[in-house]
Amino acid sequence: MEHRIVGPGPYRATRLWNETVELFRAKMPLRKHRCRFKSYEHCFTAAEAVDWLHELLRCNQNFGPEVTRKQTIQLLKKFLKNHVIEDIKGKWGQEDFEDNRHLYRFPPSSPLKPYPKKPPYQKDVIKFPEWNDPPPGTSQENIPVRPVVMNSEMWYKRHSIAIGEVPACRLVHRRQLTEANVEEIWKSMTLSYLQKILGLDSLEEVLDIKLVNSKFIIHNVYSVSKQGVVILDDKSKELPHWVLSAMKCLANWPNSCDLKQPMYLGFEKDVFKTIADYYGHLKEPLLTFHLFDAFVSVLGLLQKEKVAVEAFQICCLLLPPENRRKLQLLMRMMARICLNKEMPPLCDGFGTRTLMVQTFSRCILCSKDEVDLDELLAARLVTFLMDNYQEILKVPLALQTSIEERVAHLRRVQIKYPGADMDITLSAPSFCRQISPEEFEYQRSYGSQEPLAALLEEVITDAKLSSKEKKKKLKQFQKSYPEVYQERFPTPESEALLFPEKPKPKPQLLMWALKKPFQPFQRTRSFRM
């Protein structure tokens, strides 16, 4: 039973449906069956289909071993309704599917689900406020901008202090950031972070950006209790007191039953039913209809647990605060019930963990329009939430720090040098991860060696500089960056090669030097005649 992992992206539920249909039609064993004294070729019983498809789904990493037989039967009912299968007499659609010996077969052709056509969303990305942004109401559209390439000349300008030239500078004050500006930054950076994690070119197919409320994101980050649970400003949106008391009773069983009702046999089952009825009658699932495709897309990352947790953290920040609070309290209760060994069985037919998933999966995740794999996808997501709810419902610290640093950067005063206006096309500064002290010392010592070495080479090879000026600049560079200079000129001889000594001219020979050298007078012996 071969299968492949369907990763994140638009229409993931439809892609999963089509792949499951193809696997079922290609691999389901068919054989001859007899029914009412008549033989039928190439068919299968309902029970055989349930057994085989159940095993397929449990072994498929897109669904997991938590899939129940009941969920498999529900999926086969949808197969019958969509004419993926038909009964042995060719009936389908309104017929009901049950786990029995009734015979079914595949129709000659089984159409796959077409991908839904959604209205195109506007692809405009929210622009971060920059230093040179004009006041609201002015336009800067269609302004040609020449891209800037960082070359050695740019390094020469930016490191002019190293060679003794400090140009004049001026201070540019950033215009006051409004509350709307800050909200735009939070929304844009959060969505960009989610898009990067999902590895998508655009979020338009999994999320309507216009419906994302930046105020929700900021509230979910800052308005939290010491336990990390969202605090609501509007108390009318809180859980009813009787529901909250019932949840506390089961979460802290058997020491926190403050319902002021007498205990009796089956009391805990009635309390659980009270909670399930309240959540089951919500008008909208906790993860909202709008975010259904986004959460389903994140399910494609479950093989990379750490990445999936990060993606879920971002998606949960987009929730309305009241939904996030209800989800936090519900997941904490579900996890504690599953881990409580003193909790009596809440259902005779299912284990506690399976009961939690089946009871609350639909109130946590479902689509506004009928999607054929709603139950399986919701069960998969709730199972992962139960196992990782403490991390998923935390505020992502890396994202929060990046946005806060971005806002602080825009509020600071900027120093500009002459000619620095060329740099306005450079991308926004990226924010770094925290590193160890050892790595910091290494980067501090060696991180800027290459550009400084390039600057030194440019001074060395500059033919326009006279020897005197070049020696002066090299002396200043040696004083500012001795390590870089020492690496380029390790010995005095290597430095001397840069300025070879000119040969001294030979002295001009005088004419008298060519004559016989003067000899002192020597007395000779005289002979008298």
Side-chain angles (χ1 to χ4, degrees), residues 210-469:
K210 295 179 181 179
L211 299 181
V212 175
N213 193 325
S214 56
K215 295 183 184 292
F216 291 169
I217 302 174
I218 298 176
H219 187 101
N220 290 333
V221 170
Y222 293 109
S223 299
V224 294
S225 64
K226 294 181 180 180
Q227 292 75 28
V229 180
V230 174
I231 300 175
L232 301 181
D233 296 331
D234 188 356
K235 300 303 179 182
S236 63
K237 296 181 179 180
E238 288 274 9
L239 281 169
H241 175 71
W242 51 273
V243 176
L244 189 59
S245 298
M247 295 176 69
K248 288 182 179 179
C249 175
L250 295 185
N252 302 296
W253 183 274
N255 303 317
S256 184
C257 292
D258 55 352
L259 298 178
K260 298 181 180 180
Q261 294 182 0
M263 298 288 290
Y264 54 86
L265 185 63
F267 172 77
E268 67 283 350
K269 294 182 180 179
D270 290 342
V271 175
F272 180 76
K273 185 176 184 301
T274 299
I275 302 170
D277 288 343
Y278 171 79
Y279 276 94
H281 287 84
L282 294 176
K283 295 181 180 179
E284 188 178 26
L286 295 179
L287 301 185
T288 72
F289 293 134
H290 163 235
L291 295 175
F292 173 81
D293 289 330
F295 278 101
V296 170
S297 185
V298 176
L299 285 174
L301 298 172
L302 293 189
Q303 302 303 317
K304 305 175 183 177
E305 183 174 325
K306 185 177 179 180
V307 179
V309 169
E310 289 185 73
F312 275 126
Q313 284 180 336
I314 303 298
C315 288
C316 289
L317 280 184
L318 308 181
L319 295 173
E322 59 269 21
N323 288 39
R324 182 178 173 91
R325 176 176 174 83
K326 291 177 181 177
L327 180 65
Q328 288 175 316
L329 297 176
L330 178 62
M331 297 310 303
R332 186 168 64 177
M333 181 203 73
M334 293 168 61
R336 289 187 177 182
I337 290 177
C338 292
L339 296 175
N340 191 351
K341 296 182 180 180
E342 299 183 11
M343 173 67 68
L346 298 175
C347 180
D348 298 332
F350 301 102
T352 303
R353 182 182 175 89
T354 303
L355 177 65
M356 294 296 153
V357 173
Q358 291 193 359
T359 303
F360 296 108
S361 59
R362 294 285 295 177
C363 70
I364 292 177
L365 179 73
C366 70
S367 63
K368 189 174 183 179
D369 302 322
E370 182 181 359
V371 177
D372 299 301
L373 297 176
D374 269 7
E375 293 87 354
L376 297 178
L377 296 175
R380 182 70 164 154
L381 182 139
V382 173
T383 301
F384 190 80
L385 274 178
M386 287 178 58
D387 296 336
N388 303 274
Y389 81 98
Q390 292 181 332
E391 288 296 323
I392 289 176
L393 296 176
K394 284 182 179 179
V395 176
L397 184 59
L399 174 64
Q400 181 181 355
T401 303
S402 298
I403 297 177
E404 290 175 349
E405 289 180 355
R406 176 67 177 172
V407 174
H409 167 76
L410 293 175
R411 285 174 172 166
R412 284 197 295 265
V413 175
Q414 184 189 28
I415 300 177
K416 281 197 173 183
Y417 295 95
D421 294 338
M422 297 170 58
D423 299 341
I424 61 176
T425 58
L426 295 178
S427 59
S430 59
F431 302 101
C432 306
R433 61 179 178 83
Q434 186 175 2
I435 61 177
S436 63
E438 295 78 10
E439 189 175 355
F440 169 76
E441 289 298 330
Y442 177 82
Q443 292 182 4
R444 183 179 67 83
S445 301
Y446 302 100
S448 59
Q449 301 294 322
E450 293 183 3
L452 290 176
L455 177 61
L456 178 58
E457 289 295 333
E458 183 175 351
V459 175
I460 294 173
T461 58
D462 192 348
K464 297 180 181 180
L465 293 177
S466 64
S467 298
K468 183 178 180 179
E469 292 176 345

